[in-house]
Amino acid sequence: MSVRRLHSEQPESFAFTEENAAYLQKVIARYPEGRQASAVIPALMVVQSQEGWISRPAIETVAKLLDMPDIRVLEVATFYTQFQLSPVGRKAHIQVCGTTPCRLRGADEIISICKNRLAAHPFELSADGDFSWEEVECAGACVNAPMVTVGKDTYEDLTADTFNALIDGLAAGNPPAPGPQNGRFFSAPGNGDTSLTDPALYDGSAVGKYRAFDREELSPQPAAPAPAAPAPAASAKPAEEKPVPKAVEAQGQADSEKVPDQHKPSLLEAARGGKADDLKLIHGVGPKLEELLHKLGIYHFDQIASWNEMNLRWVDQHLGSFRGRALRDKWIEQSTKLTTGWRPSNKDGDKPA
Ligand code: FES
């Protein structure tokens, strides 16, 4: 690992181009007021894309822009090897991974090529000024070792030949496609698949099957007696059952603690009289969740008020990404109150006890 210090020769000043300054304002605006410092890495990346490396004046400019002490920006710039602290090759700065897996798979040869073709030492510019290189620690592509990083791209599964071809391509402005250079698909087994070879594993037909096997064949459970049916609310019409949408049902089947369908509450095909209650009056229910409840067949407060605990749990597990809301927000209690005509004065502020 190299020592990371600012370059001995620094420019007088630094300024973002108009275009980059405007782009950075948009990036900074993504963060809450007072949290502009969160944009420090994007800002340094913009500096690097503009100048090729990070200078002291650039660090000071970024610190001022983000209202940070200079030292905080310096810490970030010197910590991450993605940031160059000295001028680099015009066409490419090649970061060669020299950590164990890459070493075992030929990083030595890659480094020798860098020394012979580009520059004798890391961070030295090539004679034509087009290239520079350095050795870095693991870049997270060990399974495709050896590898190098050039800007935002990684070139993996390198050999001497493919690395030389990469340098030729970069010099000609026509580098090969990033990724494995030996033709393999990402990090798939290099010599072909040796396990999980059944094509059915990848066509979607096996989704959820292992859970059914585990639940029903390995650990059969006698069906629990159904709880006494809740008394229908005064205004409730005989409930009609509505099939659960397939996507919702699939989500439910994937859950490990499935509430059996015998606990499915009475659901409706449509709102009674064509007018649903405003379910958004239930604390924690917004337009999206209300829409999902309608899809499930839930339109009225008295429906929810008539549920028992298991009905509530059944519904809750069919709420997709909203799972947990029904239990957390005590929908039965809220709805019971709403059936009496009570309305929250402030929907968000008036939570149930
Ligand atoms: S060891 Fe080289 S990418 Fe991890």
Side-chain angles (χ1 to χ4, degrees), residues 93 95 147-156 166 170 175-179:
H93 176 73
Q95 296 182 304
M147 59 81 66
V148 301
T149 304
V150 180
K152 292 177 183 166
D153 295 323
T154 56
Y155 296 88
E156 305 148 12
L166 171 62
L170 290 166

Side-chain angles (χ1 to χ4, degrees), residues 97-103 136-147:
C97 173
T99 304
T100 311
C102 282
R103 284 278 177 188
V136 295
E137 299 298 323
C138 177
C142 326
V143 78
N144 294 74
M147 59 81 66

Side-chain angles (χ1 to χ4, degrees), residues 182-196:
N182 63 352
R184 77 158 138 165
F185 183 69
F186 294 116
S187 53
N191 298 322
D193 296 342
T194 57
S195 59
L196 302 175

Side-chain angles (χ1 to χ4, degrees), residues 11-17 46-47 50-51 55-59 61-62:
E12 286 291 309
S13 61
F14 168 83
F16 286 110
T17 62
V46 171
V47 171
Q50 181 178 312
E51 303 290 307
S55 65
R56 180 188 295 277
I59 287 173
T61 303
V62 169

Side-chain angles (χ1 to χ4, degrees), residues 184-237:
R184 77 158 138 165
F185 183 69
F186 294 116
S187 53
N191 298 322
D193 296 342
T194 57
S195 59
L196 302 175
T197 52
D198 181 355
L201 290 171
Y202 308 101
D203 64 10
S205 61
V207 172
K209 279 194 175 166
Y210 74 100
R211 289 193 184 278
F213 178 77
D214 181 39
R215 202 168 47 244
E216 290 159 18
E217 296 180 25
L218 280 184
S219 316
Q221 298 290 326
S235 57
K237 284 185 184 175

